[in-house]
Each structure stands twice: as C-alpha cells, then as structure tokens.
Amino acid sequence: MTAEQYPPQGASSDPGENAAIPNICEALTILGAKWSFMVIAQLTDGPQRFKQLLRNVKVVKTQSLTDTLRHLEATGMVRREVFPTIPVTVEYSLTGKGQDFQRVIREMEQWVEKWKPGNQSTTM
C-alpha cells in the first residue's frame, strides 16, 4: 500500500494528526524490502564488493541480495560503482541518504535494548 492509498484512521478534529502516516509509508516503501536493513547496516562499515556483502550477510541468497541492492540503488540509498578491471569490480557504498539512515538504526537498537524481554525497562 502506497502513501497515497493509505486509508485515513477515523475522523479527526486535528488535520495534522495523521500527517506522519504518508511519510512513514514512504520510508517503508524504501526500506520494506526483506534484507534492506541488514545491507544498510553492513555498508555502514564502508564500501564492500558483492561477494563481501554476501559473506557478511550470511542468511541472504545471491538473487535476494542482488534484488535488494538494485532496490536500494533505485531509491538513492546505495551507490554502485563499477571499476574497469578484469574481471570488472563492482563496489557498493551508502549515499548521503543511506548514511543519514544510520541514526535511525542506532535509535532502533536502543529501543530494542530497552524493551527486550528480561530487561528492567520493560516494566515501565
């Protein structure tokens, strides 16, 4: 479901109340691919070649990684750079947009740490 198709959540007297929903839907369109978070997190360490990514994100299959990288490149999160070597070398790195997302990943890690089962904070 795209941001434009998202149904309004009931009648609201505050017209700005649901303003964040289209933005969240847009973010999920970019990041909703199954392996997007893992690939972005892996690229925070710096540029990597395809085989490096495949080794480092162990659970993903070759075609799924290819699809994820193409999607992230199309959405402006990842840069694909081809080097004219024999054989051709391709390197993936985060764009400014992708690097900016690292802050969100850190916030998510803190949220998980705070609310994971067995943590004292979960009783708040």
Side-chain angles (χ1 to χ4, degrees):
M1 185 174 287
T2 65
E4 295 81 26
Q5 297 169 325
Y6 196 89
Q9 294 291 317
S12 172
S13 59
D14 181 6
E17 186 175 308
N18 291 324
I21 292 174
N23 291 336
I24 292 169
C25 288
E26 181 66 27
L28 290 175
T29 299
I30 294 170
L31 303 165
K34 187 172 183 178
W35 305 110
S36 292
F37 280 90
M38 292 181 77
V39 169
I40 291 169
Q42 195 59 195
L43 289 174
T44 60
D45 294 338
Q48 293 186 30
R49 295 181 183 169
F50 184 85
K51 290 287 186 181
Q52 289 173 299
L53 278 170
L54 197 57
R55 276 192 304 271
N56 293 335
V57 185
K58 295 174 178 71
V59 295
V60 66
K61 302 284 187 226
T62 303
Q63 187 60 50
S64 295
L65 180 57
T66 299
D67 295 343
T68 299
L69 287 166
R70 285 181 182 159
H71 173 75
L72 291 172
E73 183 183 7
T75 58
M77 298 289 285
V78 168
R79 176 183 309 107
R80 180 180 186 264
E81 190 172 358
V82 179
F83 297 95
T85 59
I86 298 175
V88 173
T89 302
V90 179
E91 193 174 78
Y92 296 91
S93 60
L94 293 176
T95 61
K97 184 178 180 180
Q99 290 172 351
D100 196 39
F101 189 71
Q102 293 175 41
R103 188 172 38 118
V104 176
I105 291 175
R106 283 192 300 274
E107 289 289 327
M108 291 173 68
E109 288 173 341
Q110 290 171 2
W111 181 84
V112 168
E113 189 63 34
K114 178 180 179 180
W115 294 103
K116 70 182 178 182
N119 191 333
Q120 295 292 4
S121 300
T122 60
T123 59
M124 292 173 71

